[in-house]
């Protein structure tokens, strides 16, 4: 049985229709195989891992409406019944998993609405708990545009100092990895790009505070995904930024700049061709041409459901804590 819980605040879920499928929350169909029940005192650990994903469905930063998708791994063969709840709530809900669920079963768990609340504890995070003997919980998702966390709250830890260089360096690489992680599962993004713009200082070793997150990504810009060709990507990466910055990629991309052009570029180890179409994540300000690089003309919209980038960074650090420093070598300048 599985449980989902929000780490702070009380949320109002929306109802879902259940057309002819076990892939639904708190619903079933008459023509599907009946899954085994675990009852109110489950004895099996049905779920080995649960990863939740954020999908914003309103354009505004706050008030906000968003979906929580859950990806369940390690389920036994055949139909299953899982119970879950949002951390911080009491209501258990049921997911009926179909017999042919595959290695990873993904479904929408909740649709939530947040508003800014000045008088009570702000809503800043979501986590899911599973109703089974080992008390399995999901990763935690953070969103900071409807409120700020408590002054003493920390967000995982770094294993070492993560430095900021004149062009970008390890800290910007870490943020690029966080961007991609925030949107990849739902958008199919293959790489993320981040500008040196707005970064203030290194991320020190040890527990990560909200102040440190804010100093790294202060604006809280939404992470979006656009598609472009390899030729368009090479042109963008080769832009001569007057401050000497480069566009720093996530770990999936590496490139070399020489003589004002991209001379080598690989995506997941394979050379990028001019005609291949690549889904690229970035914040909307970079895409719009306001962070020291040109507007992404000719690219097409893929996904507009990402979280704020401050929250994306917090989610990534907590999930991978303690986080080590990337090598800072994804861009070679000759």
């Amino acid at each position: 049985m599985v449980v989902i819980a929000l780490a702070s605040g009380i949320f109002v879920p929306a109802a879902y229709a259940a057309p002819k499928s076990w892939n639904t929350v708190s619903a079933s169909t008459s023509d599907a195989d009946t899954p085994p029940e675990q009852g109110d005192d489950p004895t099996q650990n049905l779920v080995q891992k649960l990863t939740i994903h954020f999908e914003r469905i309103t354009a505004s930063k706050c008030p906000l409406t968003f979906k929580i998708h859950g990806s369940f791994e390690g389920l036994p063969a055949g139909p299953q019944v899982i119970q879950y709840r949002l951390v911080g709530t009491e209501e258990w809900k049921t997911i009926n998993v179909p017999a042919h669920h595959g290695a990873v079963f993904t479904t929408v768990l909740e649709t939530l609405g947040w508003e800014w609340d000045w008088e009570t504890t702000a809503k800043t995070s979501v986590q899911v708990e599973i109703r089974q003997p080992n008390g399995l919980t999901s990763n935690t998702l953070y969103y900071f545009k409807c409120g700020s966390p408590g002054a003493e709250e920390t967000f995982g830890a770094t294993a070492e100092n993560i430095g900021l260089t004149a062009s970008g360096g390890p800290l910007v690489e870490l943020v690029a990895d966080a961007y991609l992680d925030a949107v990849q599962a739902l958008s199919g993004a293959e790489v993320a790009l981040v500008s040196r713009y707005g970064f203030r200082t290194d991320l020190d070793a040890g527990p990560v505070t909200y102040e440190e997150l804010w100093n790294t990504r202060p604006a809280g810009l939404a992470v979006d995904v656009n598609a472009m060709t390899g030729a368009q990507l090479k042109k963008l990466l080769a832009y001569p930024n007057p401050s000497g910055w480069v566009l720093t990629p996530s770990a999936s991309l590496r490139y070399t700049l020489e003589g004002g052009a991209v001379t080598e570029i690989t995506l997941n180890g394979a050379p990028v061709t001019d005609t291949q179409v690549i889904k690229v994540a970035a914040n909307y300000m970079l895409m719009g041409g306001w962070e020291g690089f040109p507007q992404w003309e000719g690219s097409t919209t893929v996904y507009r459901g990402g979280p704020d980038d401050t929250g994306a960074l917090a989610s990534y650090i907590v999930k991978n804590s303690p986080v080590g420093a990337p090598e800072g070598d994804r861009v070679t300048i000759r």
Side-chain angles (χ1 to χ4, degrees):
M1 311 284 276
V2 180
V3 181
I4 297 178
L6 291 185
S8 65
I10 297 175
F11 311 95
V12 182
Y16 287 92
K20 302 289 185 180
S21 172
W22 282 111
N23 184 0
T24 183
V25 175
S26 300
S28 62
T29 59
S30 58
D31 58 350
D33 295 332
T34 301
E37 294 285 353
Q38 285 215 68
D40 294 333
D41 186 20
T43 58
Q44 300 180 58
N45 292 320
L46 293 180
V47 183
Q48 302 305 307
K49 182 179 181 181
L50 170 60
T51 304
I52 58 174
H53 312 285
F54 176 103
E55 181 188 7
R56 176 173 44 87
I57 56 177
T58 49
S60 64
K61 293 182 177 181
C62 192
L64 168 76
T65 302
F66 63 103
K67 293 180 181 180
I68 298 298
H69 299 249
S71 294
F72 299 83
E73 299 180 43
L75 292 171
Q80 304 296 332
V81 173
I82 297 170
Q83 283 190 327
Y84 71 90
R85 68 183 174 193
L86 300 176
V87 172
T89 67
E90 297 183 359
E91 180 185 6
W92 294 92
K93 296 186 178 181
T94 299
I95 299 172
N96 295 301
V97 181
H100 304 292
H101 51 68
V104 180
F105 172 73
T106 299
T107 189
V108 174
L109 299 174
E110 301 283 339
T111 299
L112 306 174
W114 287 4
E115 295 184 359
W116 187 273
D117 189 341
W118 294 94
E119 298 180 355
T120 62
T121 302
K123 302 178 181 74
T124 58
S125 64
V126 181
Q127 190 180 27
V128 170
E129 177 188 0
I130 303 200
R131 192 174 192 180
Q132 59 186 34
N134 66 357
L136 182 71
T137 55
S138 72
N139 57 306
T140 302
L141 299 177
Y142 293 91
Y143 184 86
F144 296 126
K145 303 312 293 182
C146 284
S148 300
E152 303 302 318
E153 189 172 352
T154 59
F155 304 88
T158 54
E160 56 191 313
N161 178 271
I162 302 179
L164 181 65
T165 67
S167 62
L171 181 56
V172 187
E173 289 186 352
L174 176 70
V175 171
D177 291 341
Y179 274 26
L180 184 59
D181 187 71
V183 297
Q184 187 172 36
L186 299 182
S187 71
E190 299 159 273
V191 62
L193 295 177
V194 177
S195 165
R196 171 67 170 74
Y197 181 88
F199 285 80
R200 302 183 179 191
T201 185
D202 295 359
L203 196 56
D204 293 335
V208 177
T209 66
Y210 181 67
E211 181 179 4
E212 289 177 305
L213 293 173
W214 193 84
N215 283 335
T216 303
R217 294 281 77 191
L221 302 174
V223 181
D224 295 331
V225 180
N226 275 22
M228 64 178 69
T229 65
Q232 290 171 321
L233 177 59
K234 292 174 187 178
K235 181 179 179 181
L236 178 64
L237 296 176
Y239 177 78
N241 177 272
S243 298
W245 304 337
V246 297
L247 282 175
T248 299
S250 56
S252 54
L253 189 81
R254 305 180 75 89
Y255 69 95
T256 298
L257 285 171
E258 185 173 5
V262 174
T263 57
E264 298 177 34
I265 182 170
T266 59
L267 178 63
N268 296 317
V272 172
T273 68
D274 285 348
T275 57
Q276 83 181 84
V277 177
I278 302 167
K279 295 179 181 179
V280 185
N283 72 58
Y284 67 88
M285 293 288 284
L286 177 60
M287 290 183 177
W290 295 297
E291 290 197 350
F293 292 88
Q295 186 176 6
W296 291 18
E297 294 181 355
S299 66
T300 57
T301 299
V302 172
Y303 183 71
R304 290 293 180 266
D308 68 302
D309 56 4
T310 317
L313 180 59
S315 300
Y316 185 80
I317 293 174
V318 169
K319 183 167 72 171
N320 296 284
S321 181
V323 174
E327 296 296 326
D329 62 353
R330 299 171 190 173
V331 182
T332 299
I333 303 175
R334 293 175 179 164

